[in-house]
């Protein structure tokens, strides 16, 4: 594995790119990656943990860097949810409150938000789609992952879980391509390995340009039993490019402002902060999905 001697600038970017929106995000991303590139080409020991990169559960979602830039100016049709005083799930579903969620346990506008208009899903009849919008470079997404993994072992069979990488800027797109390339190679087991490599080993698996990024990711793939040629073919494949395009569309359609974000059946969005914690988020997902399944 290619290990960088000095990765502090890029590692700082990986954390800060989840920070508040900035119209200069993509320029900053390119600049930081260029600064880190020479070091990423050196061999040596991996750098130690950097301050501020501890992956502990947070109650605040990450704010999108450059989200407004990627979403574009939609004028009056920006799909921003109406005032929460006028919109609730009970109103939208035209059902009594007790028929929607258990005993008023969760409050619309506080614990979850309606998506207006609701977005189409890609699941079979009788199934409920649960989407996690994430980023491999996000420590809060990494902190949530153990809860997601535990939930996946026992989730209801009617829930279809889908991961969608956020597509805000160059670093996010590079990690999204890594994610979909591993899927195309039928190596979902390496998702966790890539997450660990980026978050705990502080090897970002991206560089200042596509060629260098591909070399870094090929080295990661080779260490895990995938030939560089096979990785490169999948990396540039039609299926990977199609998935990246869909991720771009979903990032915009869901107006993603922070990750991790969870979308239930294209109708409701929530996150760790709104739910009150990672375990509470899992319970909320189950309750919203059960409500949709009953309909």
């Amino acid at each position: 594995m290619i290990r960088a001697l000095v990765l502090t600038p890029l590692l700082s970017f990986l954390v800060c790119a989840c920070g508040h929106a900035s119209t200069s995000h993509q320029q900053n991303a390119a600049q930081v990656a260029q600064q880190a590139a020479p070091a990423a080409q050196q061999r040596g020991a991996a750098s130690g943990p950097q301050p501020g990169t501890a992956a502990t559960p947070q109650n605040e979602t990450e704010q999108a860097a450059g989200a407004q830039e990627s979403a574009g100016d939609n004028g009056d049709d920006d799909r921003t949810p109406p005032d929460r005083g006028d919109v609730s799930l009970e109103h939208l579903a035209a059902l009594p409150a007790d028929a929607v969620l258990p005993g008023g346990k969760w409050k619309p506008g506080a614990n979850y938000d309606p998506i207006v208009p609701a977005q189409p899903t890609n699941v079979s009849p009788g199934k409920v789609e649960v989407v996690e919008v994430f980023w491999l470079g996000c420590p809060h997404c990494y902190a949530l992952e153990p809860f997601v993994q535990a939930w996946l072992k026992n989730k209801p069979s009617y829930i279809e879980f889908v991961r969608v990488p956020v597509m805000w800027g160059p670093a996010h797109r590079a990690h999204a391509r890594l994610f979909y390339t591993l899927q195309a190679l039928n190596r979902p087991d390496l998702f966790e390995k890539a997450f660990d490599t980026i978050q705990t080993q502080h090897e970002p698996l991206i560089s200042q340009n596509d060629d260098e990024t591909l070399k870094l990711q090929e080295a990661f793939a080779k260490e895990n039993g995938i030939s560089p040629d096979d990785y490169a073919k999948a990396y540039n494949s039609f299926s990977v490019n199609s998935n990246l395009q869909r991720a771009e569309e979903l990032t915009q359609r869901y107006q993603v402002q922070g990750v991790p974000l969870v979308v239930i059946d294209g109708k409701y969005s929530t996150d760790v902060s709104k739910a009150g914690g990672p375990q509470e988020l899992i319970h909320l997902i189950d309750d919203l999905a059960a409500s949709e399944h009953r309909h």
Side-chain angles (χ1 to χ4, degrees):
M1 172 65 72
I2 298 175
R3 294 180 182 272
L5 290 175
V6 183
L7 288 176
T8 302
L10 188 54
L11 288 171
S12 299
F13 163 66
L14 289 180
V15 176
C16 295
C18 284
H20 292 288
S22 168
T23 56
S24 61
H25 163 67
Q26 293 195 13
Q27 294 177 351
N28 292 339
Q31 181 180 1
V32 174
Q34 287 173 357
Q35 293 172 354
Q41 296 171 359
Q42 301 180 38
R43 304 299 202 270
S47 61
Q50 301 297 321
T53 60
T56 55
Q58 301 290 324
N59 289 333
E60 295 295 330
T61 55
E62 306 280 13
Q63 295 303 310
Q68 296 297 326
E69 181 176 345
S70 65
D73 182 5
N74 295 320
D76 293 333
D77 185 23
D78 60 4
R79 293 193 291 272
T80 301
D83 187 341
R84 294 297 179 265
D86 298 328
V87 174
S88 70
L89 287 183
E90 290 76 17
H91 173 72
L92 292 175
L95 290 172
D98 288 343
V100 178
L101 292 177
K105 177 181 177 182
W106 308 107
K107 303 297 182 183
N111 301 123
Y112 56 86
D113 294 314
I115 295 175
V116 182
Q119 298 298 311
T121 62
N122 190 30
V123 294
S124 304
K127 298 288 187 178
V128 177
E129 182 183 72
V130 172
V131 172
E132 182 201 12
V133 186
F134 76 102
W135 177 34
L136 285 170
C138 168
H140 292 350
C141 297
Y142 187 66
L144 180 62
E145 187 60 19
F147 296 90
V148 173
Q149 288 296 327
W151 172 71
L152 287 175
K153 294 176 182 178
N154 300 293
K155 71 172 181 63
S157 60
Y158 58 79
I159 291 179
E160 289 197 13
F161 179 67
V162 181
R163 296 186 194 269
V164 175
V166 73
M167 298 282 280
W168 289 324
H172 310 97
R173 290 180 175 87
H175 281 153
R177 187 175 286 276
L178 168 62
F179 170 72
Y180 283 127
T181 300
L182 294 176
Q183 279 197 340
L185 290 164
N186 196 29
R187 290 298 303 272
D189 58 300
L190 292 184
F191 171 76
E192 294 294 325
K193 185 71 175 289
F195 228 159
D196 288 340
T197 298
I198 294 167
Q199 293 294 329
T200 66
Q201 299 179 34
H202 311 295
E203 297 181 6
L205 298 179
I206 59 173
S207 188
Q208 87 282 13
N209 60 54
D210 290 343
D211 289 340
E212 290 299 325
T213 292
L214 177 57
K215 289 178 182 178
L216 290 172
Q217 293 182 11
E218 283 177 340
F220 168 80
K222 185 176 181 180
E223 281 201 346
N224 290 281
I226 301 171
S227 74
D229 286 345
D230 287 343
Y231 187 86
K233 289 177 183 177
Y235 184 89
N236 293 302
S237 67
F238 175 79
S239 64
V240 168
N241 287 323
S242 296
N243 282 329
L244 289 169
Q245 182 177 355
R246 174 166 172 75
E248 184 88 47
E249 292 171 354
L250 290 176
T251 295
Q252 296 188 30
R253 276 167 43 189
Y254 292 142
Q255 297 287 295
V256 181
Q257 299 294 313
V259 294
L261 178 76
V262 178
V263 177
I264 297 90
D265 221 30
K267 296 180 180 179
Y268 322 122
S269 67
T270 187
D271 55 44
V272 174
S273 178
K274 285 182 176 295
Q279 192 59 62
E280 289 80 1
L281 175 62
I282 298 301
H283 295 323
L284 176 54
I285 292 169
D286 282 339
D287 286 346
L288 286 168
S291 171
E292 282 301 295
H293 188 242
R294 286 196 299 268
H295 296 168

